[in-house]
Amino acid sequence: KDDDQHRQALFRATQYNSNYTWRSFHRLLDLERGSRVDGLVGLKQYFVRFGYLISTNSADSVLSDAFDARLETAVLRYQASLGLPVTGKLDATTLSEVMAPRCGVPDLNPNRSRAAETVQR
Amino acid sequence: FTYFTGKPRWAGRKPLTLTYAISPEHTIKYVATADVAATIRRAFDNWARVIPVRFEEATNYESADVKLGFYGGDHGDGEPFDGVLGILGHAFSPESGRLHLDAAEQWAVDLGKESSEVAVDLESVATHEIGHVLGLGHSAVKEAVMYPSLSPRTKKVELKVDDIEGVQALYGSNPNFRLNQTVQSETSSAIALRDAIKKS
């Protein structure tokens, strides 16, 4: 019961702080490897954008709604990089952070961004 | 703390002086220009206190080292903004000097006078983005200025030990700055928090 209350409180905070861009991610709460849910592809694009997932080609698994091993690795990296509990699951703490407004600079390999390419030239 | 790949930094003789300017075209209308300028000044001062770098406001935008502006949507650098909240801003690694803020946000220079639930503190985001301009990447320390996220109506402008150690490794320390004061302050805060948790 305590866990449920904690989760509800956390999620109210998440929704208050959630942004318009990533608000729909709240539907992904508690997903883990093996799940398949409409909208998961949006989360994968988020992880691609911020350096946690690398899209190799247009036909790869980044375009599917499956919670596969690559997404699990991305979630683990995300949690470790931002000092969150490392669970590999889309728990309330992780989703709360994902949905928070943030800086557009990637967290990992920031020089992969076009911004950095411009600098290098 | 982290750095961009290759650990780029601004080069030059010490004490290094960087000029900055706010775009006269790409700005926001609902905050007075002088208030925006004063807020950006404070954001630069937050970093100048800890490193031997001087930041001077330039009179000519085009020739400034650091060019700051408010842009909406796709603004031509390959990193389009996304409207209210989501991405708040971004900046480029040294020595690009470009610092862009999402014009769609409800920017606040004084949260006490701004009632919007989605107001974003300008000084906090500017301080974070200046960290990128100087060469810092994102931090895993939640309390650090260089942590990537910032909730609406939140002010986070005080550099933490993690931010300070990161930027001082690039530029050295401001001779007038004492790191142990910050360490003591953070330790006191941690003790107060622990006591409050115990009490509750």
Side-chain angles (χ1 to χ4, degrees):
Chain A
K1 190 180 177 185
D2 284 350
D3 188 48
D4 281 350
Q5 286 175 343
H6 174 69
R7 179 179 298 219
Q8 284 169 12
L10 192 58
F11 224 75
R12 277 196 298 275
T14 301
Q15 287 181 318
Y16 176 77
N17 288 331
S18 68
N19 60 79
Y20 300 165
T21 307
W22 302 310
R23 186 182 289 272
S24 65
F25 287 168
H26 76 272
R27 295 184 295 110
L28 309 177
L29 180 64
D30 286 339
L31 292 190
E32 55 188 318
R33 187 173 172 178
S35 314
R36 180 180 284 272
V37 173
D38 285 350
L40 206 49
V41 69
L43 181 70
K44 288 183 175 180
Q45 287 165 351
Y46 176 100
F47 282 131
V48 167
R49 170 156 194 174
F50 295 112
Y52 294 98
L53 194 57
I54 295 170
S55 177
T56 49
N57 61 62
S58 59
D60 75 12
S61 66
V62 166
L63 296 177
S64 84
D65 282 320
F67 196 132
D68 52 18
R70 288 177 66 197
L71 179 57
E72 184 182 51
T73 303
V75 173
L76 288 166
R77 278 187 191 148
Y78 179 82
Q79 292 167 333
S81 293
L82 298 187
L84 306 173
V86 180
T87 63
K89 299 175 185 175
L90 295 175
D91 51 54
T93 306
T94 302
L95 268 187
S96 170
E97 187 56 45
V98 165
M99 294 165 69
R102 57 162 291 155
C103 170
V105 174
D107 300 335
L108 302 182
N109 304 317
N111 271 14
R112 288 180 55 248
S113 70
R114 293 184 189 190
E117 287 171 14
T118 305
V119 175
Q120 285 168 353
R121 279 200 293 274
Chain B
F1 55 85
T2 63
Y3 300 112
F4 292 94
T5 309
K7 213 174 168 182
R9 50 153 284 173
W10 291 83
R13 279 190 203 158
K14 288 184 182 179
L16 181 63
T17 299
L18 296 178
T19 58
Y20 72 91
I22 302 165
S23 170
E25 294 174 17
H26 300 283
T27 187
I28 46 175
K29 307 286 185 196
Y30 53 87
V31 181
T33 304
D35 289 340
V36 172
T39 304
I40 299 303
R41 171 79 260 165
R42 288 199 302 275
F44 278 104
D45 285 347
N46 291 331
W47 292 100
R49 270 192 287 275
V50 304
I51 53 175
V53 178
R54 291 172 53 195
F55 299 101
E56 291 179 356
E57 185 163 8
T59 49
N60 183 346
Y61 176 76
E62 292 305 327
S63 64
D65 297 312
V66 182
K67 296 181 178 71
L68 188 152
F70 296 85
Y71 298 87
D74 186 350
H75 51 286
D77 63 6
E79 307 285 347
F81 284 134
D82 56 358
V84 177
L85 299 181
I87 304 290
L88 304 175
H90 59 221
F92 294 60
S93 57
E95 300 178 37
S96 163
R98 284 179 293 168
L99 193 166
H100 299 167
L101 302 167
D102 188 348
E105 309 302 343
Q106 184 65 40
W107 293 104
V109 293
D110 181 352
L111 285 171
K113 294 179 181 172
E114 173 58 64
S115 60
S116 169
E117 277 196 351
V118 292
V120 178
D121 184 59
L122 177 60
E123 185 183 346
S124 300
V125 177
T127 303
H128 175 99
E129 299 304 339
I130 292 166
H132 288 314
V133 167
L134 290 170
L136 287 176
H138 286 147
S139 169
V141 178
K142 182 108 183 160
E143 296 75 23
V145 160
M146 293 313 295
Y147 195 76
S149 66
L150 182 77
S151 296
R153 306 200 60 80
T154 302
K155 194 172 182 76
K156 186 160 71 172
V157 298
E158 189 182 329
L159 301 187
K160 299 300 181 193
V161 171
D162 188 72
D163 304 305
I164 296 166
E165 287 181 342
V167 77
Q168 287 188 340
L170 289 174
Y171 298 96
S173 176
N174 184 325
N176 299 319
F177 176 74
R178 297 282 174 271
L179 182 63
N180 57 5
Q181 290 171 352
T182 305
V183 173
Q184 280 175 3
S185 166
E186 286 187 24
T187 306
S188 303
S189 300
I191 291 170
L193 178 63
R194 187 196 63 194
D195 291 347
I197 291 169
K198 270 186 183 173
K199 202 174 176 182
S200 68

